């Protein structure tokens, strides 16, 4: 039952670091029954990403959404990430 949960599940802890021309992104969460993490760029579709990945920003600024997905296919809250070059 949701009332039994004492924290907000599925919330992401995202850390970024600029490595040359790429941004290194690390994702962690307390998602019960985690299946995968996903990223969405602009109007694109959600795509699977690893808990650590690199992204190159071509425009002066790029906005992406991140989320966790559990084994039941339910997506967690969207985490907005704004990266600049």
């Amino acid at each position: 039952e949701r009332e039994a949960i004492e924290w907000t599940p599925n919330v992401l802890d995202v850390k970024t670091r600029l490595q040359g021309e790429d941004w290194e992104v690390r994702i962690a969460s307390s998602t019960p029954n985690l299946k995968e993490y996903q990223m969405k760029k602009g109007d694109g579709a959600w795509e699977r990403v690893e808990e650590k990945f690199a992204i190159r920003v071509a425009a002066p600024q790029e906005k992406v959404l991140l989320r966790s997905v559990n084994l039941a296919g339910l997506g967690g809250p969207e985490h907005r990430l704004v990266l600049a070059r």
Side-chain angles (χ1 to χ4, degrees):
E1 292 187 31
R2 288 191 179 261
E3 294 80 30
I5 299 173
E6 296 178 12
W7 78 96
T8 305
N10 305 340
V11 174
L12 301 184
D13 178 23
V14 179
K15 297 193 182 341
T16 59
R17 182 173 74 172
L18 186 59
Q19 292 288 101
E21 295 183 16
D22 295 337
W23 281 96
E24 180 182 283
V25 180
R26 290 179 184 254
I27 308 170
S29 72
S30 296
T31 302
N33 301 310
L34 176 67
K35 177 183 177 186
E36 64 187 17
Y37 294 114
Q38 295 181 341
M39 177 177 70
K40 182 178 179 181
K41 293 181 184 178
D43 294 331
W46 288 101
E47 59 185 64
R48 183 182 185 280
V49 293
E50 297 297 326
E51 62 187 45
K52 178 183 173 186
F53 65 95
I55 183 171
R56 183 161 290 182
V57 177
Q61 187 179 81
E62 183 154 6
K63 298 173 187 170
V64 298
L65 296 175
L66 302 169
R67 71 179 182 181
S68 62
V69 177
N70 66 18
L71 291 174
L74 299 173
E78 295 176 357
H79 180 95
R80 184 175 175 211
L81 185 61
V82 180
L83 302 169
R85 60 177 176 128

